[in-house]
Amino acid sequence: MKGSQVTIKDIAKQLGVSASTVSRALKDHPDISPETKKAVTELAEELNYQPNSIALSLRQKKSNTIGVIIPELVHFFFSTVINGIEDVAYAAGYSVIVSQSNESYEREVMDTKALFNNRVDGILVSVSRETENYDHFQSLVNRGIPMVFYDRICKAINCSQVIIDDFDAGYQSTKHLIDQGYKRIAHISGPSSLILSKERMDGYKKALTDHGLKIDETLILEEKEAKDEKVAKELTEQLLSLSLPPDAIFANNDIAAVGAMLVIKEKGLKIPEDIGVVGFSNWRFTSLTEPALTTVDQPGFKMGQEAAKLLIKEIEAKEGEIVEPETVVLKTDLIIRKSSVRK
Amino acid sequence: MKGSQVTIKDIAKQLGVSASTVSRALKDHPDISPETKKAVTELAEELNYQPNSIALSLRQKKSNTIGVIIPELVHFFFSTVINGIEDVAYAAGYSVIVSQSNESYEREVMDTKALFNNRVDGILVSVSRETENYDHFQSLVNRGIPMVFYDRICKAINCSQVIIDDFDAGYQSTKHLIDQGYKRIAHISGPSSLILSKERMDGYKKALTDHGLKIDETLILEEKEAKDEKVAKELTEQLLSLSLPPDAIFANNDIAAVGAMLVIKEKGLKIPEDIGVVGFSNWRFTSLTEPALTTVDQPGFKMGQEAAKLLIKEIEAKEGEIVEPETVVLKTDLIIRKSSVRK
DNA sequence: TTGAAAGCGCTAACAA
DNA sequence: TTGTTAGCGCTTTCAA
């Protein structure tokens, strides 16, 4: 912010007019004479005048910035979401500030406050794995800050949200395994604190019962802590050493899927012949290196776009106008390769 | 930015003092009486007063924000860099605005201008693959905006920079292959527009000549366009169909390495028995799913930290003080697994 | 120890 | 058609 910038005053002085004239000329106000307009715009061009967005923010009480709280940037899915957000935000003239909670409740609370202090016009949130208390969000909503939840939503707060149809994803994944003739389908689920974990599991259960299979609770294991290669492998070990082991696994995430796959290989079993695996892939190249896995593809870019659109709509609603919270539901795709299907 | 915020004026009015007194009390100015101080801080607390950072920015001509230009967020390496940047920036009281160039020169130019207009106090840059003209950076540097380059640097501009010792990485990677007895080592290199591509290649060449091996230009292929699975596979096909094919490949990046590996497998060859592969891994789980690959691990987090430190040091240098550009060089690690080494 | 006033860069109501 | 003035929220010099 160094290197003293050209201001409206500088232009005004050089042209011997007032600052307001320059201001008006620059925004093509109808009152200003064509000559003045021309002189102003030309000099502005010449001096490479750039409006000071901070002064504008102060004046208009609007920062033209949106804040994003994201669990972790390193996941393909989430970084893709950011791309979608930027796509829409930039086009609408907003800057984007991204804060990572790193799946920590404490960090999330700090980030929320920091964004608020930075006077963002609105916030996009995907809650951390740890979060079970939502006061930090509610208090901002109460103050009238527009907020939209994406992916990891928060039912307790009445805001717009963009979600993936996780029930359907769970259902389709499980059905895909059933269709190939697998009978004992296990599920490695995500932490029960996340709504989407429950949705996926419900989809899984519904698919089983719809197709005349029983729900066997011994085949459902929860990955409680953070996603971790070791944990995923242990859970798979546990499943495979059951007296009645599963013949297929529906994994809640990429690591769980890959962990399962590694353990299965170690045991000398083959995918998909001996055991079928379907997993969510937050991770870019799962299907590139692991053609035997069927993966659930999540529409991250689209999700980012939709969330940003909703937020900007709320931000730009006229004062007093009430915006009814909306819910956008996006479908996943099942990426099936020949080599991931059992005949 | 809605929900009218408590201001210094509000506090002043309620307490029957002036705004300047409140301002001073809040920053613990020695002139203010303990009683006033107490009254002010207590009321501020009660009303949940938060200083308006935009007004502060305007007043102090400092936004306490740093801008980051990054080629693509979806790569593990780059998102890790962001983590490092945030780590240092937040601790020092700075916000971070991230812009992705998506490896596009045009986008990069736009991003640079946008950050400047947003009045960031300084910019961290990793140049896009396409960039060959650096005027957009030079003009900001000329205006006195502190700028630090990381990873993909720009020799033409005299700024601080944080780089990876890519020569050493190329050397070590190649040496690792030589040590295992491979004789015809190919190199899939990155675009020659990036300095680091050249460095890696020079390291590769030096390792060969240091160990009595000849440089065979037919074994060196450049991956010109964007990183792409298909291109990587084609290049490998090309290498393997040479009349004198290589017995090892040093790949410039993750995709090239994985692409090479896939083609090798398709041909019925084995890694590392028939052919050795070493690749840079910008990608999180290469070594998890591909234990046969030896990977070069790049210290992204550290790089982000160092770059942010240098930038903040420059930003906070006293007016007029001259900060000599510094270069920080970080070493890579070679991640070698038992299964990636030929006996 | 405190207050008044000016000003950061910009806009907009009001006046001319 | 243009200028004057006030003010967004804050800090700081100068005066009291």
Side-chain angles (χ1 to χ4, degrees):
Chain A
M1 216 166 141
K2 291 183 187 170
S4 68
Q5 273 301 292
V6 179
T7 74
I8 274 188
K9 270 192 185 169
D10 298 324
I11 299 180
K13 205 173 286 174
Q14 282 202 39
L15 254 39
V17 297
S18 77
S20 33
T21 303
V22 175
S23 170
R24 284 188 273 241
L26 287 172
K27 40 180 41 187
D28 211 18
H29 191 102
D31 279 358
I32 303 294
S33 75
E35 305 86 59
T36 327
K37 235 175 236 177
K38 186 153 172 288
V40 169
T41 44
E42 280 180 5
L43 185 58
E45 178 79 13
E46 190 192 323
L47 300 179
N48 191 19
Y49 166 78
Q50 302 288 0
N52 184 326
S53 58
I54 291 174
L56 258 174
S57 298
L58 182 62
R59 177 78 233 253
Q60 314 193 324
K61 297 188 164 225
K62 180 160 187 298
S63 62
N64 281 299
T65 302
I66 66 183
V68 180
I69 293 182
I70 203 155
E72 283 193 275
L73 227 37
V74 293
H75 293 112
F76 177 63
F77 172 67
F78 283 123
S79 51
T80 306
V81 172
I82 296 287
N83 291 350
I85 293 173
E86 289 195 343
D87 181 56
V88 169
Y90 289 168
Y94 288 79
S95 294
V96 177
I97 295 190
V98 179
S99 281
Q100 303 185 62
S101 65
N102 284 316
E103 303 285 12
S104 143
Y105 167 70
E106 259 183 67
R107 271 290 300 262
E108 189 179 271
V109 173
M110 285 173 50
D111 286 349
T112 313
K113 285 191 182 154
L115 289 177
F116 177 66
N117 284 354
N118 270 298
R119 297 299 194 275
V120 293
D121 293 332
I123 303 186
L124 293 171
V125 179
S126 197
V127 304
S128 92
R129 281 187 161 225
E130 269 182 32
T131 306
E132 294 184 341
N133 174 308
Y134 305 101
D135 293 348
H136 52 305
F137 297 136
Q138 188 64 59
S139 81
L140 289 211
V141 173
N142 292 346
R143 285 161 186 262
I145 308 288
M147 191 173 286
V148 171
F149 290 88
Y150 63 94
D151 195 47
R152 311 247 199 100
I153 62 170
C154 165
K155 286 201 170 158
I157 296 180
N158 186 33
C159 282
S160 287
Q161 48 191 27
V162 183
I163 49 176
I164 282 176
D165 191 340
D166 283 291
F167 178 89
D168 180 70
Y171 190 97
Q172 297 303 336
S173 304
T174 310
K175 180 172 181 305
H176 174 70
L177 290 168
I178 296 171
D179 288 347
Q180 291 171 73
Y182 299 108
K183 302 283 182 209
R184 287 184 58 73
I185 300 169
H187 179 39
I188 299 180
S189 99
S192 50
S193 57
L194 297 180
I195 294 170
L196 56 81
S197 301
K198 190 175 176 313
E199 291 288 320
R200 289 176 192 172
M201 194 190 294
D202 287 347
Y204 155 81
K205 288 181 175 173
K206 187 70 170 30
L208 291 181
T209 52
D210 275 4
H211 293 81
L213 294 173
K214 266 188 215 138
I215 293 164
D216 180 346
E217 293 290 343
T218 63
L219 292 180
I220 303 178
L221 295 182
E222 181 182 336
E223 198 189 23
K224 282 178 182 142
E225 308 102 87
K227 272 161 57 165
D228 179 86
E229 183 185 339
K230 263 188 212 156
V231 173
K233 292 175 88 170
E234 276 166 21
L235 293 179
T236 311
E237 299 268 10
Q238 217 173 306
L239 285 172
L240 294 186
S241 57
L242 286 173
S243 54
L244 281 173
D247 61 0
I249 296 177
F250 165 43
N252 175 70
N253 63 50
D254 46 13
I255 310 270
V258 171
M261 183 211 73
L262 291 174
V263 171
I264 291 168
K265 276 192 188 165
E266 280 168 18
K267 300 263 182 209
L269 297 171
K270 287 203 167 161
I271 308 172
E273 292 78 7
D274 304 318
I275 192 159
V277 182
V278 173
F280 273 74
S281 109
N282 297 327
W283 158 23
R284 195 171 195 182
F285 303 111
T286 316
S287 60
L288 169 58
T289 52
E290 297 309 331
L293 295 183
T294 293
T295 51
V296 181
D297 189 50
Q298 297 161 286
F301 190 81
K302 183 90 186 151
M303 171 167 272
Q305 288 182 312
E306 295 298 329
K309 269 189 222 165
L310 287 178
L311 187 68
I312 291 172
K313 193 164 118 190
E314 263 186 62
I315 291 173
E316 298 186 346
K318 309 270 174 278
E319 190 69 31
E321 183 182 332
I322 290 161
V323 182
E324 275 306 312
E326 277 177 65
T327 297
V328 174
V329 180
L330 304 173
K331 292 280 181 192
T332 53
D333 248 347
L334 214 51
I335 299 182
I336 304 169
R337 297 198 166 198
K338 265 189 209 157
S339 47
S340 75
V341 178
R342 182 166 78 166
K343 305 287 143 31
Chain B
M1 214 166 141
K2 292 184 187 171
S4 68
Q5 274 301 292
V6 178
T7 74
I8 274 190
K9 270 191 185 170
D10 299 324
I11 299 180
K13 205 173 286 175
Q14 281 202 40
L15 254 41
V17 296
S18 76
S20 28
T21 303
V22 174
S23 170
R24 283 188 274 243
L26 287 172
K27 41 180 39 187
D28 212 17
H29 192 101
D31 278 358
I32 303 295
S33 76
E35 304 86 61
T36 328
K37 235 175 237 176
K38 188 153 172 287
V40 169
T41 45
E42 279 181 4
L43 185 57
E45 178 79 13
E46 190 192 322
L47 299 179
N48 192 19
Y49 166 78
Q50 303 287 1
N52 184 327
S53 58
I54 292 176
L56 257 173
S57 297
L58 183 61
R59 176 76 232 249
Q60 313 194 323
K61 297 186 162 227
K62 180 161 188 293
S63 63
N64 281 299
T65 302
I66 66 183
V68 180
I69 292 182
I70 201 153
E72 283 193 276
L73 225 39
V74 293
H75 293 113
F76 177 62
F77 172 68
F78 283 123
S79 52
T80 306
V81 172
I82 296 288
N83 290 351
I85 293 172
E86 288 196 343
D87 181 58
V88 169
Y90 289 167
Y94 287 80
S95 293
V96 177
I97 295 189
V98 179
S99 281
Q100 303 185 61
S101 65
N102 285 315
E103 302 285 13
S104 143
Y105 167 71
E106 259 183 68
R107 271 291 300 261
E108 188 179 271
V109 173
M110 285 174 48
D111 286 349
T112 313
K113 285 189 183 155
L115 289 178
F116 177 66
N117 284 354
N118 269 297
R119 299 298 195 274
V120 293
D121 292 332
I123 302 186
L124 293 172
V125 179
S126 198
V127 304
S128 92
R129 280 187 160 224
E130 271 182 31
T131 307
E132 293 184 343
N133 174 309
Y134 304 101
D135 293 347
H136 52 304
F137 297 136
Q138 189 64 59
S139 82
L140 289 211
V141 172
N142 292 347
R143 285 161 186 263
I145 309 287
M147 192 174 287
V148 171
F149 290 88
Y150 63 93
D151 196 47
R152 312 248 200 98
I153 61 170
C154 164
K155 285 202 170 157
I157 296 180
N158 186 32
C159 281
S160 287
Q161 49 192 27
V162 183
I163 49 178
I164 282 176
D165 191 340
D166 283 291
F167 178 89
D168 180 71
Y171 191 97
Q172 297 302 335
S173 303
T174 310
K175 181 173 181 301
H176 173 70
L177 290 168
I178 296 170
D179 288 347
Q180 291 171 72
Y182 299 108
K183 302 283 183 211
R184 288 185 57 73
I185 300 169
H187 179 38
I188 299 179
S189 100
S192 50
S193 57
L194 297 180
I195 294 169
L196 55 79
S197 301
K198 190 174 177 315
E199 291 288 320
R200 289 176 193 173
M201 193 190 297
D202 287 348
Y204 155 82
K205 288 180 174 171
K206 186 72 168 30
L208 291 181
T209 52
D210 275 4
H211 294 81
L213 294 173
K214 267 188 214 139
I215 294 166
D216 180 346
E217 293 291 341
T218 64
L219 292 180
I220 302 178
L221 295 182
E222 181 182 334
E223 196 189 23
K224 282 177 183 143
E225 308 101 88
K227 273 161 54 164
D228 178 87
E229 183 186 339
K230 265 188 211 153
V231 174
K233 290 175 89 170
E234 277 166 21
L235 293 179
T236 312
E237 299 268 11
Q238 216 173 308
L239 285 173
L240 294 185
S241 56
L242 286 173
S243 54
L244 282 174
D247 60 0
I249 297 177
F250 164 43
N252 175 70
N253 63 50
D254 45 13
I255 311 271
V258 171
M261 182 211 76
L262 291 175
V263 172
I264 291 167
K265 275 193 189 167
E266 280 168 17
K267 301 263 182 209
L269 297 171
K270 284 203 168 162
I271 308 170
E273 291 78 7
D274 303 317
I275 192 159
V277 181
V278 173
F280 272 75
S281 107
N282 298 326
W283 161 22
R284 194 170 195 182
F285 305 111
T286 316
S287 61
L288 168 58
T289 50
E290 296 310 327
L293 295 182
T294 292
T295 51
V296 181
D297 189 51
Q298 297 161 286
F301 189 81
K302 183 91 185 151
M303 171 166 272
Q305 289 182 312
E306 295 297 330
K309 269 190 223 166
L310 286 178
L311 186 69
I312 291 173
K313 193 163 119 190
E314 263 185 61
I315 291 173
E316 298 186 346
K318 309 268 174 280
E319 190 68 30
E321 183 182 331
I322 290 161
V323 183
E324 276 304 313
E326 278 178 63
T327 296
V328 173
V329 179
L330 303 174
K331 292 279 180 191
T332 54
D333 248 348
L334 214 50
I335 300 184
I336 305 170
R337 296 197 166 198
K338 265 189 209 157
S339 47
S340 74
V341 178
R342 182 167 79 166
K343 303 289 142 29

